[in-house]
């Protein structure tokens, strides 16, 4: 990978299909609405004589079957209040293929509020694990300033290695135990990311990466795929002076 | 008519038992996957093995509340190919083309469809 944008392009190319088998138009419409801001093709198949409730089949970009479940279960799973994505990752560890569908699907218009919520999930996880690498891209020094206290605490928490990345200059004192990487005019000014490598446990690895395409509007993905997280960590470490 | 319960109507089956071996069919209908296959065939008389495996796996997942992974689908496909479809072919309910790996013809007795609660939607 040569840029953060390439990571997003890679995920972009893995466009998935959600095949909805139902005779219920309302359910179909609800799912279409739910996925319209993600790069997912929602297709409809009639359930015919099969009993309701229907089911969904998830396919990868080649049309290959990646997972299936009942519509009732799927809708429950999509409801973030019941199951935040990170909880799902923990309860369904043997279902990586299906869940890699729900993650690694691009979101095309996250608001700062949604970005913050997802960032917080990753930071919370890093805090709980207390070891490993946490790399956070703030875009701007002003954004780091608002999280200053949080990262002050991170810097001295457990054996976490913490680095923050900025696309402009950080003029205030550096939080203790935190490496500040700032490169004015670089890609760092355009990307919001939080990457945690999981420490000793790759099942805890997770990352969020998004480009701010318009002010306050983000385009990107979140993932707990350990390989992808590792590639992000490696990219950041080889591209920037993290040590 | 009356009850819309999804239970094989054994009486109707017995009535039509000269068309097929009654015990074999009752045993077949006791299997979730086979039931799903027969219902699906009612609407789609010539599906591919792949298509059947997808739908039958997903249908079973929705009934059990489970999430089906590709490995589950793989197992279902093997069962379809080596057990379920050959039995249905033996009974003369389907013809299966092993070259194209697809059902080429479906001829399910009405009594069997009725027993599955599949009502003809044609009016």
């Amino acid at each position: 990978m040569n840029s953060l944008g390439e990571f997003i392009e890679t995920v972009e190319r893995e466009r998935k299909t959600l095949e909805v088998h139902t005779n219920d138009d309302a359910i179909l419409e609800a799912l279409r609405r739910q996925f319209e801001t993600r790069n997912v093709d929602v297709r409809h198949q009639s359930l015919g004589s099969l009993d309701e409730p229907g089911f969904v089949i998830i396919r990868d970009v080649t049309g290959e079957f990646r997972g299936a479940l009942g519509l009732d279960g799927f809708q429950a799973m999509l409801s973030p209040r019941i199951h935040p994505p990170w909880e799902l990752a923990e309860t369904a560890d043997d279902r990586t293929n299906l869940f890699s569908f729900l993650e690694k699907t691009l979101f095309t218009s996250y608001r700062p509020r949604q970005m913050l919520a997802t960032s917080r999930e990753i930071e919370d996880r890093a805090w709980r694990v207390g070891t490993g690498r946490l790399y956070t891209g703030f875009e701007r020094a002003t954004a780091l300033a608002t999280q200053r206290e949080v990262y002050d605490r991170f810097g001295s928490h457990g054996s976490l290695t913490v680095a923050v990345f900025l696309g402009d200059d950080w003029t205030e004192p550096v939080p203790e135990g935190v490496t500040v990487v700032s490169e004015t005019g670089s890609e760092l000014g355009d990307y919001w990311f939080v990457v945690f490598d999981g420490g000793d446990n790759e099942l805890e690895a997770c990352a969020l990466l998004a480009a701010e395409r318009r002010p306050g509007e983000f385009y990107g993905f979140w993932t707990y795929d350990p390989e992808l997280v590792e590639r992000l960590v490696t990219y950041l470490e080889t591209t920037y002076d993290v040590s | 008519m009356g009850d819309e319960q999804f239970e094989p109507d054994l009486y109707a089956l017995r009535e039509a038992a000269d068309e097929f071996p009654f015990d074999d069919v009752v045993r077949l209908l006791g299997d979730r996957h086979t039931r799903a296959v027969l219902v699906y065939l009612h609407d789609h008389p010539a599906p591919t093995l792949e298509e059947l495996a997808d739908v039958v796996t997903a249908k079973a997942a929705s009934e059990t509340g489970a999430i089906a992974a590709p490995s589950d689908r793989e197992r279902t496909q093997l069962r379809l190919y080596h057990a379920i479809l050959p039995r249905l072919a033996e009974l003369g309910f389907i013809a299966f083309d092993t070259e194209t790996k697809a059902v080429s013809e479906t001829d399910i007795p009405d009594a069997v469809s009725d027993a599955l609660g599949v009502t003809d939607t044609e009016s």
Side-chain angles (χ1 to χ4, degrees), chain B residues 8-17 19-20 22 110-112 114-115:
Chain B
D9 180 348
L10 295 182
Y11 182 75
L13 277 182
R14 178 76 74 186
E15 287 286 278
E19 290 179 47
F20 45 78
F22 175 76
D110 289 345
V112 174
D114 289 349

Side-chain angles (χ1 to χ4, degrees), chain A residues 154-198:
Chain A
F154 263 122
S156 53
H157 180 68
S159 52
L160 274 175
T161 302
V162 184
V164 297
F165 299 75
L166 304 169
D168 53 12
D169 285 333
W170 179 252
T171 48
E172 293 176 46
V174 172
E176 209 182 305
V178 175
T179 303
V180 177
V181 177
S182 67
E183 280 198 21
T184 308
S186 71
E187 62 173 356
L188 294 177
D190 303 323
Y191 292 92
W192 178 330
F193 58 85
V194 186
V195 181
F196 175 54
D197 73 355

Side-chain angles (χ1 to χ4, degrees), chain A residues 46-63:
Chain A
S46 158
L47 200 53
S49 305
L50 292 168
D51 290 339
E52 295 277 7
F55 46 85
V56 293
I57 296 176
I58 289 128
R59 300 185 186 281
D60 65 18
V61 73
T62 66

